[in-house]
Amino acid sequence: MVMMSYENDLGLCSENDYYSSICRNQQELIKTIKLFKKRNDKTVIVHYKLTGFFPFSTLRKLSSQIKNRTDYIDTIFAVKNIFRGNKIIDGTILKHFDASERKYLLNGIEKIREAMENVEKSDLQVLVDAEYTDMNEGINAITMAMIMLYNVEVPTVGLTFQCYLKNSLNSIMQNLNIIEEFNLCWNCKFVRGAYMLSERQYSDLNKVPNPVFDSYEETNSNYDKIVEMIFNYHFSKKYSILLATHNINSIRKACKLLLQTNRHTGSFKFGQLMGMSDHISLQLGSLNFPVYKSSPYGNVEDTIPYLVRRFYENSSIFGNVKNDVVFIRKEFFRRLNPLSLKN
């Protein structure tokens, strides 16, 4: 599972830098897709962030216009039409965009459409990452428009749901109902979330309700409840679900549910960050559960800030590192002992 790493807000760039950035991000995405498509690797997942193609302000504006389910579906179909080449957006929710905002929206969609042409007739899956709550509705609407186009027969494109959000279950059910209504294939990734500290700081600064659960325990409970719900859901078409977590208790519960429900393990996958919780990944692999390691890549200027933010935002889970050290130490000394390797 490969992740394009970029952190910059394209809206803060000059116009020339903006165009060069989205063109570069598009070419990186196309290069990655073509690389794995050429290898005919049926197990590859590419995931990326829409902020590599749109300014933050564009996604926030799109999100702010979505007030209810009707607005959400209207936006999905408006974006779907743009993907199909129809750039006339008057009469839709997008009519509230000024000329500059429309330009950014149309350019971003066009670059993604050109990249997605390389995914067709392949077994690759493309997951779109969730980001900040004030832009997630817009991100989901664009992703759902892609799902309308590419998930008719197979689960090619997927959403990401952050289970540390208080409204995460409602968001999942809303999108799941739309998938079923339009007879599409479901694809999603469940994460706890990587913007917890930023979301809390934003809510404190702007005196708005905190969208994130107040405790790690509440997030864990919500994550497990969502996973159990999705395990017991009866999908009408093909589906693909990635459980992205380092939490050993959540993983144990999910494994137990997999065995109890007799679900096809190829449709349910586990995922962890490269270099983290490797002992868990290895154990899952030894039990024949599909496991993915998310590997960020890119130039130094983009990748280092990306990794630093993840270290900062995921500080709550870094207590698990001591467990990694214990397992690595045991394995190190096991390999030093020739007798143990014969067992």
Side-chain angles (χ1 to χ4, degrees), residues 121-335:
K121 298 180 180 179
S122 77
D123 293 303
L124 293 178
Q125 291 188 20
V126 177
L127 297 178
V128 178
D129 284 347
E131 301 190 49
Y132 297 101
T133 53
D134 61 353
M135 60 178 73
N136 275 345
E137 280 292 89
I139 290 172
N140 286 347
I142 294 172
T143 307
M144 283 294 292
M146 296 165 63
I147 288 173
M148 290 272 187
L149 295 170
Y150 300 105
N151 287 27
V152 176
E153 299 295 335
V154 291
T156 299
V157 179
L159 296 151
T160 297
F161 296 103
Q162 300 158 313
C163 297
Y164 66 6
L165 296 178
K166 296 173 183 176
N167 72 339
S168 52
L169 181 57
N170 290 336
S171 178
I172 292 165
M173 292 310 301
Q174 173 179 255
N175 287 282
L176 191 52
N177 289 338
I178 294 172
I179 291 287
E180 293 291 344
E181 180 181 345
F182 293 96
N183 196 30
L184 302 166
C185 296
W186 174 259
N187 190 343
C188 74
K189 174 176 60 168
F190 294 128
V191 301
R192 275 171 168 73
Y195 301 85
M196 183 181 295
L197 300 179
S198 299
E199 293 287 3
R200 286 175 175 165
Q201 290 170 356
Y202 178 86
S203 62
D204 289 343
L205 183 65
N206 293 278
K207 308 299 181 185
V208 296
N210 182 8
V212 177
F213 282 110
D214 296 326
S215 69
Y216 186 59
E217 289 72 25
E218 287 178 292
T219 297
N220 290 342
S221 176
N222 189 56
Y223 190 95
D224 294 340
K225 181 172 67 174
I226 286 170
V227 170
E228 183 174 3
M229 179 276 295
I230 211 73
F231 266 103
N232 291 300
Y233 191 89
H234 296 286
F235 293 93
S236 58
K237 299 189 73 171
K238 292 180 181 178
Y239 61 92
S240 179
I241 295 163
L242 179 66
L243 307 178
T245 177
H246 300 85
N247 186 287
I248 186 63
N249 291 325
S250 291
I251 290 171
R252 283 172 178 158
K253 290 176 182 177
C255 289
K256 186 177 180 180
L257 283 167
L258 257 179
L259 297 174
Q260 287 177 342
T261 56
N262 197 28
R263 287 297 185 111
H264 186 263
T265 54
S267 299
F268 284 89
K269 311 168 182 67
F270 293 92
Q272 290 93 39
L273 293 171
M274 178 67 75
M276 289 186 61
S277 302
D278 289 340
H279 61 285
I280 296 176
S281 307
L282 291 169
Q283 184 67 19
L284 285 168
S286 70
L287 296 172
N288 295 320
F289 292 113
V291 185
Y292 284 76
K293 303 295 284 188
S294 179
S295 307
Y297 75 93
N299 58 45
V300 173
E301 291 79 7
D302 291 328
T303 307
I304 294 301
Y306 173 86
L307 294 174
V308 167
R309 185 180 62 76
R310 263 165 173 65
F311 182 88
Y312 174 73
E313 290 284 357
N314 288 298
S315 57
S316 60
I317 68 169
F318 274 89
N320 293 333
V321 171
K322 63 182 180 182
N323 296 327
D324 289 11
V325 172
V326 170
F327 281 99
I328 291 170
R329 182 184 178 85
K330 286 182 178 179
E331 182 64 13
F332 176 76
F333 285 107
R334 187 187 75 83
R335 296 189 184 192

Side-chain angles (χ1 to χ4, degrees), residues 59-76 93 135-142 174:
L59 296 172
R60 285 176 174 139
K61 177 67 174 286
L62 189 60
S63 296
S64 69
Q65 301 301 311
I66 300 172
K67 308 295 185 184
N68 50 50
R69 186 178 188 272
T70 300
D71 289 344
Y72 186 55
I73 293 178
D74 287 348
T75 303
I76 292 170
I93 198 170
M135 60 178 73
N136 275 345
E137 280 292 89
I139 290 172
N140 286 347
I142 294 172
Q174 173 179 255

